[in-house]
Amino acid sequence: MEQQPCEGSVEDNRSTQIFRITHFFIETMRTTQSRYFMRTTQVHCALFSVIISLLFSSVTVAQWREIQVPEPGRFAGELFSANTRLFYAGSQGLLLSRNAGLNWSPASGMEMITVKKILVSPNGELLAVGTRRISISNGFVTIDELYQSIDSGNVWRRIEDNLPQTGDTASRSIEDVAIHQGKLIVSFESSINPASRGVYRSDNNGRTWSKTHQSTFLNPPQKLVSIDSVLVCSSINEIWFSKNIGETWSQSAIADIRFPEGGAAFVVKSFAKQGTVIFAATSDGLFRSENGGESWQRADNRLPRQRNVDTRDVETCLAVQGRVFAVVNNNNSLSQHQGVMFMGNTNTPNPEWVDINDGMPANPVVLYLASHEGFLYASVQQSPRRLWRRSLSELIGTTSVRNNSPSEASQNALISSFSVFPMPAAEELRIEMHLKKASILTLMLFDIKGRTIESLSSTLSVPQGTSLVAVPISNLSNGIYFCAIEAEGNRIVRSIVVSK
């Protein structure tokens, strides 16, 4: 049976090569009668070890790797991906990268501006919300303004808008910006005129704005997200939704809120969406909505929480290719665990979460996440401020297969995704796959010598769609293994690491 090579990370392809060479070497030892292979068992083992050592010497360990950012400033910078550019918004200005974060250059017109949000506007230009800090006699005020770039973020200019002004004596805050049904939407707050707070809409790319009807919320509007025909806006202790571009608003039903200890408010820190599902990272955990924000349920029952306290502080969340990443930044003195967490499938209401902090410092204080050109990025508030990057293929797995003929293409199309996690694994290995149709699969585990682990290999009847299989591995010794699935004459292999 010929094994089909898979597209994906270098680690995936090398795993396949190791698997093939392992089998070739073993078969050669069994069948060859030459004195080079049959002299002693010690020679066999020594030669085998050399081959494996040479192969693995070039394999990169799957983990986070630090990226150098020039002059990152006092605070961790927020991250944005737009128009093939990656942006890092430090406190000293805006940096952009054209090569996935390997090199950075400053954006003109954003010097000393702290950027809060970047997105692609309806006309294809880039739009940003930036904060200017102005000194006054008794301190300073912050003024949020809109900026525009027509050259993919190299040069920016301020947009003269008609949003309520405060001059240079009071703060003006554009809390968030979104695109909804081809229109720009902002959530706005003014420190000197509470009546002006609300959600505003622009039909001409941000030059003129009108306040949506009945959007004078009791509390300041904050984060925005658009999904299909519904616009969702958070406020302190509340989430609202509108089905008519903000003309009228209804309050969402949020199940099982446990307000943070000490009387702190329930605050949505970020939204993420995957298909028709919305996720909300809040000061009281992670919530999800499957009906356009009308109602919300917890999605964090298995996330780490503060010791002896039934709360979780989820700093941000990000949805990528059917997965959700969430950052848990509980108080260091109370937290059982914190950092970046990984969820297997967005369609699972209450999944298990897996720690993916390999390569980062202990208990990283991650503030921002972004996905860009096949990588996951994390901005960490540590001394010094750091930016980290990790290949998404390490976490999500390869979702496409290289085919050599039409018949092979039709066969491989059966399995649209196949991933194994956590990595490394200790007690249990979880295997997630998505099938285009129900099928009978063969699941096999091999050790590094190519020997099948019969007790953990089986034939499975797998339904159409996404399935999750748990394999107990507590009896396996530490080391490198291979997990393979076969379906309709094709095999896909993943390398796994067992470490206890």
Side-chain angles (χ1 to χ4, degrees):
M1 181 188 303
E2 182 181 357
Q3 179 184 317
Q4 301 300 323
C6 301
E7 290 182 353
S9 66
V10 174
E11 290 76 14
D12 284 336
N13 293 331
R14 286 174 180 155
S15 298
T16 302
Q17 295 170 5
I18 293 169
F19 181 85
R20 288 176 171 176
I21 292 176
T22 299
H23 274 285
F24 171 79
F25 182 77
I26 292 171
E27 292 302 315
T28 302
M29 287 196 296
R30 291 175 178 171
T31 58
T32 304
Q33 302 298 320
S34 72
R35 59 188 175 90
Y36 298 104
F37 289 94
M38 298 300 294
R39 181 174 298 170
T40 64
T41 302
Q42 287 78 10
V43 172
H44 302 164
C45 295
L47 183 55
F48 180 81
S49 299
V50 169
I51 293 174
I52 295 299
S53 298
L54 288 173
L55 284 167
F56 276 99
S57 64
S58 60
V59 174
T60 303
V61 178
Q63 63 179 9
W64 291 93
R65 300 189 182 281
E66 185 177 358
I67 296 177
Q68 298 297 324
V69 180
E71 300 179 1
R74 297 174 55 198
F75 306 103
E78 191 157 358
L79 300 164
F80 309 98
S81 175
N83 280 6
T84 72
R85 304 286 197 270
L86 180 66
F87 294 91
Y88 182 92
S91 58
Q92 305 299 316
L94 183 66
L95 300 174
L96 66 101
S97 174
R98 301 173 182 84
N99 56 3
L102 299 181
N103 301 102
W104 298 85
S105 58
S108 177
M110 286 296 197
E111 296 81 4
M112 303 306 294
I113 301 295
T114 301
V115 176
K116 299 169 66 173
K117 186 74 172 280
I118 295 177
L119 51 70
V120 181
S121 63
N123 67 356
E125 299 172 355
L126 291 186
L127 186 74
V129 177
T131 303
R132 285 191 299 126
R133 181 167 168 160
I134 301 174
S135 297
I136 57 177
S137 59
N138 58 343
F140 68 90
V141 296
T142 56
I143 307 294
D144 284 353
E145 297 167 315
L146 294 171
Y147 294 80
Q148 180 187 47
S149 173
I150 61 174
D151 62 356
S152 297
N154 297 297
V155 179
W156 296 80
R157 65 179 181 83
R158 186 166 65 87
I159 298 175
E160 297 293 340
D161 62 71
N162 69 333
L163 286 169
Q165 301 295 317
T166 61
D168 292 344
T169 60
S171 294
R172 181 180 97 150
S173 178
I174 300 174
E175 296 292 334
D176 202 1
V177 59
I179 297 174
H180 180 64
Q181 297 190 0
K183 304 179 187 297
L184 282 176
I185 310 290
V186 298
S187 51
F188 182 84
E189 164 70 353
S190 171
S191 62
I192 62 172
N193 184 11
S196 67
R197 73 168 52 133
V199 176
Y200 288 74
R201 181 176 67 207
S202 173
D203 298 324
N204 55 9
N205 217 41
R207 286 161 181 78
T208 60
W209 296 84
S210 60
K211 189 176 182 182
T212 62
H213 186 60
Q214 293 183 358
S215 68
T216 304
F217 299 142
L218 179 63
N219 294 311
Q222 297 177 332
K223 298 300 181 181
L224 295 166
V225 65
S226 170
I227 185 161
D228 297 330
S229 61
V230 182
L231 179 64
V232 180
C233 180
S234 70
S235 184
I236 296 176
N237 296 331
E238 301 165 340
I239 299 178
W240 297 77
F241 66 95
S242 173
K243 296 184 178 181
N244 51 14
I245 321 181
E247 289 303 310
T248 59
W249 293 83
S250 302
Q251 188 171 350
S252 304
I254 309 175
D256 195 24
I257 292 182
R258 307 159 195 155
F259 288 97
E261 296 295 313
F266 171 85
V267 176
V268 174
K269 301 185 179 184
S270 70
F271 286 117
K273 60 182 180 179
Q274 182 74 54
T276 59
V277 179
I278 314 174
F279 292 87
T282 80
S283 55
D284 189 36
L286 186 73
F287 291 79
R288 61 180 277 146
S289 173
E290 300 180 6
N291 57 6
E294 292 187 31
S295 60
W296 298 81
Q297 293 76 39
R298 283 194 172 274
D300 62 2
N301 288 340
R302 299 180 183 180
L303 269 177
R305 67 189 68 185
Q306 298 184 33
R307 288 194 180 101
N308 304 319
V309 180
D310 193 19
T311 59
R312 306 160 186 83
D313 184 4
V314 178
E315 186 68 36
T316 188
C317 61
L318 176 70
V320 183
Q321 298 180 26
R323 309 294 194 274
V324 168
F325 299 87
V327 173
V328 180
N329 279 341
N330 293 325
N331 184 284
N332 279 332
S333 62
L334 298 175
S335 177
Q336 293 176 328
H337 199 87
Q338 66 177 28
V340 183
M341 309 300 293
F342 170 70
M343 183 170 77
N345 191 295
T346 57
N347 293 323
T348 305
N350 190 28
E352 294 187 15
W353 293 79
V354 179
D355 181 343
I356 58 164
N357 291 331
D358 307 305
M360 278 194 177
N363 291 325
V365 182
V366 180
L367 296 186
Y368 306 108
L369 290 176
S371 170
H372 179 73
E373 295 188 351
F375 291 94
L376 180 65
Y377 295 81
S379 184
V380 179
Q381 177 69 18
Q382 260 153 313
S383 184
R385 262 40 84 187
R386 294 176 178 176
L387 179 62
W388 298 79
R389 186 180 81 171
R390 185 169 183 176
S391 171
L392 280 168
S393 65
E394 297 174 0
L395 305 169
I396 296 176
T398 306
T399 57
S400 59
V401 179
R402 184 183 296 115
N403 303 300
N404 298 319
S405 69
S407 62
E408 290 170 353
S410 63
Q411 290 173 336
N412 282 327
L414 170 67
I415 307 172
S416 61
S417 68
F418 171 49
S419 58
V420 292
F421 57 94
M423 199 64 61
E427 299 297 323
E428 186 179 72
L429 182 70
R430 301 179 189 92
I431 302 169
E432 184 182 86
M433 64 194 83
H434 185 90
L435 303 188
K436 298 295 182 63
K437 64 177 182 179
S439 184
I440 304 297
L441 303 184
T442 301
L443 171 66
M444 295 172 290
L445 264 71
F446 303 90
D447 64 15
I448 199 167
K449 295 184 179 181
R451 296 175 299 197
T452 303
I453 304 172
E454 299 291 347
S455 62
L456 299 180
S457 300
S458 60
T459 299
L460 305 173
S461 177
V462 182
Q464 179 183 2
T466 300
S467 297
L468 185 66
V469 178
V471 180
I473 57 172
S474 57
N475 292 331
L476 294 183
S477 302
N478 290 350
I480 298 171
Y481 297 83
F482 300 92
C483 177
I485 57 172
E486 287 187 357
E488 299 184 358
N490 287 263
R491 174 185 289 182
I492 302 178
V493 180
R494 295 285 183 271
S495 60
I496 62 175
V497 177
V498 175
S499 179
K500 303 174 184 178

